[in-house]
Amino acid sequence: MTEKSLPDTTTLREKAERYLMPNYGTRDVVLVQGEGVRVRDSDGKEYLDFLGGIGVNNLGHCHPAVVGALKRQAEKLLHTSNAFLLQPQIELAERLCANLGMTKALFANSGAEVTEAAIKLARLWSRKKFGEDRHRIMVFKNSFHGRTFGALSATWSPKVREGFDPVLPGFVFAEFNDLMDVDEKWDDSICAVMMETVQGEGGVRPANSVFLRGLRQRCTEREAAMICDEVQCGMGRTGRRMAYQWAEVLPDIVPVAKALGGGVPIGALLARGEFADVFQKGSHGTTFGGNPLACAAALAATDILFEDGFLAEVGRKACCLWGLMESIIADFPEVCDHVRGVGLMQGLVLKVPALLLPAIARRHGLLVGVTAETVVRLLPPLIVSDEDLEEGAAKLRAALTEFRDHVMEKSRAQ
Ligand SMILES: *Cc1c(COP(=O)(O)O)cnc(C)c1O
């Protein structure tokens, strides 16, 4: 990375405190530049990025193919609205449908927007086909589908919902990976089942194949829509284009976002068969959705992410990361419990709250996240090299040594 003149970090922190709403808490690090798996802050310190923009930077930072596509599109056309046909949007719809066995696409700008659209689509489909009363959607413990009201109502965490009641009615929560509970909670009012194929925010918990196949079978038999939220686990993250491919099931409705645009905000709602023509003129829409700039970036990103050779490499590197985590667990038995996840979406589950770990890891030059209190979330860019993985594991070891000593000291003091 080349040095550029750096902003004054202290001034930026002061301005942030004064002008930004404090909903993301106190943030100290000002990131100013990124390339590949590395980012640099305003003090010139370099970090290895194993948080990957929370599942967005699957191609790393500023991938040349994405940057090139953005530059070319920016000089041609930025925005026109959906009153007109747009070549990048049409090509992206074709690309996604052809590669994922889907029929049609609808574009929006974020994950929450497309899960929201999935909820609206499922309800409208059911209303048209079965009438008023069949409108409830089954969702799961530890789910996360976004922060808008519909998506929030489908989200399990009381912390995320706190203070916003009443949320949208019509969601039934069942146990994840538990078909008995699904059957117990299922009644004639259910029109759809919505799950993350691999739960992200809820603690990196994969749906198992038996569960996914069981849901597919029930949705087919009972005429309900199967919605797989692939916002975080899709787009090559698990070593397949979509995580549900591991279970060899095909859902009816699939929201994708995060990594789709290679770092640019875009979401897509994909639907199959009869679900593809539920929205009619006026049913749904958004001003920016499918904007040419975002679609050009997504075309460049999917060119790489959908490639078989690329995905095979993700699988190989995932095994490498898993092995490194297993050896860390063996060496830090006081604080580490186990690793879970699929592909390069892995969670190192600690025996103690992990909230202090990201700041310690940053001091050692590594960016990681924590979710569900005790889970260190690893979402490295899929372009990560074997050497990067080993360097990341070494940095994590250094951070865990410090973290363990801190935890042990605290427990001795009590
Ligand atoms: C991040 C996420 C969302 C919400 O996406 P936003 O772009 O933050 O609105 C929805 N579903 C899942 C599974 C996610 O991980």
Side-chain angles (χ1 to χ4, degrees):
M1 275 182 270
T2 53
E3 287 288 347
K4 292 206 175 128
S5 73
L6 298 172
D8 174 7
T9 310
T10 313
T11 312
L12 282 175
R13 283 190 194 128
E14 279 167 14
K15 282 193 188 173
E17 188 141 339
R18 183 171 311 164
Y19 294 114
L20 292 176
M21 291 192 191
N23 56 306
Y24 297 108
T26 307
R27 292 165 289 169
D28 289 327
V29 179
V30 183
L31 294 179
V32 291
Q33 216 188 332
E35 188 184 329
V37 294
R38 276 156 223 278
V39 283
R40 184 169 288 186
D41 73 12
S42 52
D43 298 323
K45 184 176 165 66
E46 197 177 276
Y47 305 87
L48 194 55
D49 185 2
F50 276 23
L51 180 56
I54 316 184
V56 169
N57 296 97
N58 286 14
L59 293 175
H61 293 273
C62 301
H63 193 287
V66 176
V67 172
L70 282 169
K71 281 183 177 164
R72 284 190 299 278
Q73 186 59 46
E75 285 175 352
K76 274 199 292 203
L77 189 66
L78 286 175
H79 180 81
T80 64
S81 89
N82 283 310
F84 304 94
L85 283 176
L86 294 158
Q87 191 184 349
Q89 188 185 111
I90 297 162
E91 282 180 10
L92 182 60
E94 181 186 23
R95 166 88 51 86
L96 293 170
C97 291
N99 276 283
L100 301 170
M102 291 286 141
T103 311
K104 286 183 182 177
L106 169 85
F107 293 102
N109 314 288
S110 68
E113 270 183 81
V114 285
T115 53
E116 194 79 28
I119 293 164
K120 287 181 72 176
L121 195 155
R123 277 205 179 169
L124 191 61
W125 166 76
S126 186
R127 184 77 37 118
K128 283 179 172 171
K129 198 166 174 175
F130 304 101
E132 289 288 312
D133 298 330
R134 206 167 171 280
H135 68 272
R136 297 211 297 168
I137 298 177
M138 184 174 285
V139 290
F140 296 92
K141 191 175 166 187
N142 292 313
S143 64
F144 180 88
H145 297 288
R147 304 276 192 155
T148 56
F149 257 109
L152 179 72
S153 311
T155 291
W156 182 78
S157 167
K159 240 174 34 203
V160 174
R161 300 159 66 111
E162 193 174 65
F164 298 110
D165 282 333
V167 295
L168 188 69
F171 293 91
V172 181
F173 283 88
E175 294 289 326
F176 194 56
N177 281 334
D178 185 343
L179 290 169
M180 294 232 294
D181 198 50
V182 166
D183 287 336
E184 213 159 283
K185 305 238 162 91
W186 200 306
D187 63 23
D188 291 341
S189 70
I190 300 289
C191 71
V193 174
M194 178 160 79
M195 90 290 319
E196 297 159 81
T197 321
V198 183
Q199 291 184 332
E201 307 302 305
V204 195
R205 297 166 202 270
N208 64 50
S209 296
V210 172
F211 183 62
L212 288 170
R213 288 180 198 151
L215 289 179
R216 176 65 276 176
Q217 191 188 355
R218 283 160 178 77
C219 286
T220 304
E221 284 170 8
R222 301 169 191 178
E223 290 196 89
M226 181 180 184
I227 307 170
C228 281
D229 180 346
E230 292 266 343
V231 168
Q232 190 166 147
C233 58
M235 290 296 145
R237 176 49 61 187
T238 67
R240 305 296 293 266
R241 290 168 185 162
M242 293 290 138
Y244 58 71
Q245 293 178 308
W246 287 112
E248 290 170 350
V249 296
L250 200 50
D252 302 303
I253 301 171
V254 183
V256 294
K258 290 203 163 96
L260 172 60
V264 174
I266 180 169
L269 183 70
L270 308 172
R272 193 166 66 89
E274 62 176 311
F275 298 93
D277 289 307
V278 174
F279 283 150
Q280 293 294 319
K281 187 176 192 305
S283 297
H284 192 60
T286 156
T287 303
F288 282 117
N291 141 316
L293 193 69
C295 289
L299 279 167
T302 50
D303 240 348
I304 303 166
L305 293 171
F306 284 170
E307 220 240 302
D308 287 338
F310 181 84
L311 293 168
E313 268 294 284
V314 172
R316 192 188 59 74
K317 289 184 277 200
C319 291
C320 177
L321 180 63
W322 192 279
L324 289 163
M325 290 308 118
E326 292 281 17
S327 81
I328 283 180
I329 292 161
D331 291 344
F332 293 87
E334 304 89 348
V335 288
C336 293
D337 197 74
H338 66 285
V339 57
R340 66 180 174 222
V342 193
L344 282 174
M345 181 172 183
Q346 295 182 18
L348 178 62
V349 185
L350 300 196
K351 292 173 175 167
V352 291
L355 301 171
L356 289 174
L357 190 67
I360 299 173
R362 278 203 298 276
R363 285 206 297 280
H364 291 277
L366 177 71
L367 303 184
V368 289
V370 163
T371 187
E373 197 109 340
T374 58
V375 184
V376 182
R377 176 158 47 171
L378 302 163
L379 294 166
L382 309 182
I383 55 152
V384 71
S385 71
D386 293 16
E387 294 75 38
D388 297 328
L389 288 174
E390 276 171 29
E391 186 186 330
K395 288 180 151 86
L396 186 57
R397 276 173 180 277
L400 277 170
T401 305
E402 207 178 302
F403 176 78
R404 176 191 57 196
D405 294 348
H406 175 84
V407 170
M408 309 263 282
E409 204 170 295
K410 236 178 55 186
S411 73
R412 263 198 302 274
Q414 274 167 1

